């Protein structure tokens, strides 16, 4: 279902539309929370709070940024608030407070990078889903799991030459999908170009 339609429905109070919408982001929200909080239980609780906040604030979303970026920033801010509250429970010297400010700033920069990385990964997964099964499988084996050509040949029970030709066709097909002039693929290239290109 079109994301723009789901957003409008959710903004009008449609809970079912919101549940469908947020389901696409649950895993990445949890990953962001876990990367910051370093604790599964805390990350789970924070992710749940983020989903609630998104629901409460979705009427304020104005399409000035991508919905995914808006959601991930809510997740980032939620985690930073948790870290600040935990830190404030401790007695700190002035020097320690200064270190904490610097630490928060560094974390914020790192988290923003994680948000953009997560968005690129999400788009790549969408593109992989458009590929033939044999093409998506071989890209995952080579570029995600980083198996050698020989290991892939053994895993797939095919010849080394077949591995190389199939991988070439798979990467070509993936590139053609990513170069489509439509979302979410335009967003993928905006992220890449902002960092200097591939």
């Amino acid at each position: 279902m079109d994301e723009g339609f789901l957003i409008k429905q959710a903004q009008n109070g449609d809970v079912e539309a919101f549940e469908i919408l947020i389901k696409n982001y649950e895993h990445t929200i949890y990953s962001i929370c876990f990367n910051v909080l370093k604790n599964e239980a805390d990350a789970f609780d924070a992710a749940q709070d983020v989903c609630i906040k998104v629901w409460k604030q979705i009427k304020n979303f104005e399409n000035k940024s991508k919905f995914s970026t808006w959601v991930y920033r809510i997740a980032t801010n939620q985690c930073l608030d948790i870290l600040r509250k935990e830190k404030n429970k401790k007695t700190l010297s002035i020097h320690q407070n200064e270190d904490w400010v610097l630490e928060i700033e560094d974390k914020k920069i790192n988290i923003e990078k994680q948000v953009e990385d997560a968005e690129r990964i999400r788009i790549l997964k969408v593109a992989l889903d458009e590929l033939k099964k044999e093409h998506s499988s071989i890209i995952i084996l080579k570029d995600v799991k980083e198996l050698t050509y020989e290991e892939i040949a053994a895993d797939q029970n095919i010849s080394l030459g077949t591995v190389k030709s199939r991988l070439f066709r798979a990467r070509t097909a993936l590139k053609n999908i990513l170069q489509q002039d439509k979302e979410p693929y335009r967003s993928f290239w905006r992220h890449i170009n902002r960092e200097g290109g591939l």
Side-chain angles (χ1 to χ4, degrees), residues 147-162:
L147 299 186
T148 65
Y149 291 118
E150 291 77 8
E151 288 171 333
I152 295 173
D155 180 86
Q156 299 290 295
N157 194 28
I158 56 179
S159 70
L160 197 60
T162 301

Side-chain angles (χ1 to χ4, degrees), residues 87 92 195:
K87 202 71 175 180
L92 302 171
E195 293 185 4

Side-chain angles (χ1 to χ4, degrees), residues 2 6 21 45 48 55 96-97 99 112 134 181 186 193:
D2 179 67
L6 289 173
L21 178 65
D45 290 343
Q48 294 299 307
W55 168 246
Q96 286 174 319
N97 271 313
D99 287 345
E112 287 177 353
E134 65 178 30
D181 187 24
R186 290 195 198 101
N193 292 333

Side-chain angles (χ1 to χ4, degrees), residues 70-84:
W70 183 74
V71 170
Y72 300 156
R73 287 194 182 280
I74 291 176
T76 298
N77 290 334
Q78 175 70 14
C79 292
L80 289 176
D81 285 344
I82 291 171
L83 289 176
R84 289 188 186 101

